[in-house]
Amino acid sequence: MSHPQSYEILLVPEHVEDTTEAAGNSGAIRSAVVAATGETGASGYPRYSGEGVVADIDPATHAVEALLVDGAELDYGLSVRIKEKNADDDSSADNGADSSAGG
């Protein structure tokens, strides 16, 4: 199975419920494009890294299994959404994946 080579990670407050709004980045307080490193993270899933963000992402479900932002775990009250980046034209497809930080 081929894994996506990059994703856009969106950090949004948990109270943002409109996924279409957040997918448009208007609800995100930070975003980063992460690329596959070729490594497997401690979670057992492929590792992606870029712009101060390191994420282990399950390619089957598009769930973020582990995440560090600037070397630290997410603060309570933030959740993560991802969008798969299309390598052909730099556009992205929203996968609707949503993971909450809760440590």
Side-chain angles (χ1 to χ4, degrees):
M1 177 176 157
S2 176
H3 303 303
Q5 292 302 301
S6 63
Y7 287 98
E8 182 175 15
I9 303 283
L10 303 170
L11 302 179
V12 297
E14 283 186 344
H15 69 271
V16 174
E17 294 180 20
D18 183 357
T19 57
T20 58
E21 176 187 347
N25 291 5
S26 61
I29 59 171
R30 181 168 174 180
S31 67
V33 174
V34 294
T37 65
E39 300 173 354
T40 299
S43 66
Y45 294 101
R47 176 153 292 166
Y48 294 79
S49 179
E51 299 181 33
V53 175
V54 178
D56 296 356
I57 300 173
D58 180 346
T61 64
H62 301 286
V64 178
E65 300 295 338
L67 181 75
L68 294 175
V69 178
D70 297 330
E73 294 181 3
L74 277 186
D75 291 332
Y76 286 101
L78 293 177
S79 65
V80 178
R81 296 203 174 109
I82 64 170
K83 294 177 6 179
E84 188 175 328
K85 296 295 283 184
N86 186 339
D88 295 335
D89 60 5
D90 197 34
S91 67
S92 53
D94 183 9
N95 291 312
D98 185 2
S99 300
S100 295

